[in-house]
Amino acid sequence: MDFRLVILKVFTRKHQLSLQADAMTLLQQILTDHEITNTEDAIQSLEILAKEYLLQDDCSTIVTKPLLQRVYETVVEKSTAAVTDGSQSSEIWDPDHHLYFIDAFEMPRWHYSLERKAFEKAIQKPNIAGSAESKAMFLRDRYNIIKQIILRNENFSPPAFAGKDRANYLKLTSTKNLLGRAGGRFLLFGMLTRSPEGRLCLEDLDGIVPLNISNTVKSIRLYQTGWLIIAAGPQ
């Protein structure tokens, strides 16, 4: 069975990953070797591979065969270890073999690079005393990470092939793109803030716009300043 469309749906449309030709061939070979014949099982297997790929330190938006092969071998090793652990479940477990304390200063700090469209390790070493730019960097990285999670959701990803669905996906608009487009309906992602006059606003990396919530539908949810939200409505 040809799973190319399913592979593109999971890797390209959902996770924003581009596959080289030999990587596409490898994925189809993996599905064939494991005798996967239906779409549901194929999607589940591809999701596991895609998520494991995104955990790699050297992953990029272009998937290569060597790295994908390494990811596949890692998944197989984890599955084998899980089966082995399950067969030994009757034995007494030693907590020291399952608990490990990690020093916060040994944890690498990651930030999202808008230029490379990938996560990179920060060069600076962790320090208990933050710099003057620490808060701005924290808010920017938090914004970028959450935005990438949203964009990798299938509802916000444009279809890989042209068609009627390509115009119906949810598209986030930057505040700077609202200029001169009065009357249109937009979907914005940003942080709730207050202007110096006390007015509720939405702020992203490009600017800030005031919000009119007089016609907002009431709900049981609580929203407050500092939260990152998706706001929809006319300008």
Side-chain angles (χ1 to χ4, degrees):
M1 183 176 179
D2 191 349
F3 286 108
R4 279 181 294 182
L5 292 179
V6 179
I7 293 171
L8 289 173
K9 178 181 179 181
V10 175
F11 273 78
T12 303
R13 181 177 177 183
K14 183 173 182 179
H15 294 285
Q16 301 293 306
L17 298 171
S18 299
L19 290 158
Q20 293 185 346
D22 53 356
M24 171 70 78
T25 303
L26 176 60
L27 285 173
Q28 294 200 82
Q29 185 61 46
I30 291 173
L31 296 176
T32 301
D33 292 344
H34 288 271
E35 299 181 351
I36 295 176
T37 57
N38 62 76
T39 302
E40 183 178 349
D41 290 343
I43 292 176
Q44 183 177 1
S45 301
L46 292 168
E47 278 287 349
I48 295 174
L49 291 171
K51 290 178 180 178
E52 184 66 33
Y53 174 84
L54 293 171
L55 293 176
Q56 305 303 306
D57 291 347
D58 53 348
C59 73
S60 67
T61 55
I62 300 177
V63 182
T64 62
K65 181 180 178 180
L67 182 53
L68 188 61
Q69 181 68 43
R70 192 178 75 203
V71 168
Y72 169 67
E73 293 171 357
T74 301
V75 172
V76 172
E77 290 177 2
K78 288 182 177 180
S79 300
T80 304
V83 173
T84 303
D85 291 341
S87 63
Q88 298 175 352
S89 59
S90 59
E91 300 178 3
I92 299 177
W93 284 13
D94 185 355
D96 292 338
H97 294 164
H98 302 276
L99 296 177
Y100 181 72
F101 294 93
I102 301 174
D103 189 340
F105 293 100
E106 295 179 358
M107 292 289 293
R109 180 176 176 274
W110 293 85
H111 67 90
Y112 186 77
S113 171
L114 293 175
E115 293 77 19
R116 294 187 57 192
K117 296 189 181 299
F119 289 95
E120 298 177 338
K121 279 186 179 180
I123 301 175
Q124 300 84 0
K125 292 183 178 180
N127 193 327
I128 195 170
S131 63
E133 300 86 6
S134 294
K135 184 175 181 180
M137 292 174 60
F138 158 71
L139 292 174
R140 183 171 61 248
D141 287 346
R142 178 167 165 255
Y143 173 88
N144 285 327
I145 289 173
I146 296 177
K147 184 176 181 180
Q148 288 306 308
I149 294 174
I150 294 173
L151 293 178
R152 295 184 185 200
N153 182 281
E154 60 181 2
N155 295 314
F156 290 84
S157 300
F161 302 99
K164 62 179 182 179
D165 293 336
R166 194 171 182 84
N168 296 329
Y169 76 97
L170 300 177
K171 183 179 181 181
L172 296 179
T173 302
S174 170
T175 54
K176 69 178 181 181
N177 294 329
L178 298 179
L179 187 63
R181 302 172 67 182
R185 186 175 181 85
F186 301 97
L187 200 63
L188 304 178
F189 171 69
M191 184 173 67
L192 282 177
T193 60
R194 291 278 182 183
S195 67
E197 298 78 20
R199 189 172 181 182
L200 190 64
C201 301
L202 186 136
E203 181 177 0
D204 62 12
L205 298 182
D206 298 312
I208 182 171
V209 293
L211 297 177
N212 181 358
I213 60 173
S214 59
N215 295 323
T216 304
V217 179
K218 294 182 180 180
S219 70
I220 60 174
R221 297 177 180 86
L222 173 66
Y223 298 97
Q224 59 185 9
T225 56
W227 284 29
L228 290 169
I229 66 166
I230 296 176
Q235 184 181 4

